[in-house]
Amino acid sequence: MADKLALIVTSGSREQLQMAAMMASVGAVSGTEVTVFLSMNAMTYFIHGREREEAPNAGEMGALLAEKKAPHFMELFQQAADLGGAKIHPCSMAVDVLGVRAEDLNPMLEPPLGLTKFMSDFQDATVLTF
């Protein structure tokens, strides 16, 4: 497994959020340095009070995940942060566009990060987008 894993999560679909959360949790608990960068439609689920909202299904797998009661993606992101030390950053631009304050964000999140800083800090990482 890679030493550093950087996940860029922009989709608000159940399938993309679920896969990103699984990658973050498995990578983090396996000893990989994991950083998650949240932006665009993915950001809304990390606003306080919206964590348990159901993400729309993009296809059949999303419906099956719900039917089979797969762990919610927020639980997996929380495990990645708590058990594996994953760092989960909101995109500073998305925070500005949404008009939310730091206290409005889920407590598992690290301080907002700009895309330029993220890109420069993770040049040597395996970068995956969801």
Side-chain angles (χ1 to χ4, degrees), residues 48-107:
H48 188 65
R50 298 185 65 179
E51 296 92 343
R52 298 303 297 182
E53 285 184 11
E54 293 299 326
N57 302 328
E60 183 178 347
M61 281 303 295
L64 288 170
L65 287 167
E67 180 184 313
K68 304 280 184 180
K69 302 198 182 315
H72 194 275
F73 58 86
M74 291 300 285
E75 292 174 34
L76 298 174
F77 279 123
Q78 188 71 58
Q79 288 175 4
D82 291 347
L83 304 177
K87 305 293 184 209
I88 304 173
H89 293 273
C91 167
S92 59
M93 186 250 353
V95 169
D96 289 345
V97 169
L98 289 167
V100 293
R101 301 165 296 171
E103 58 267 27
D104 298 327
L105 297 173
N106 184 300

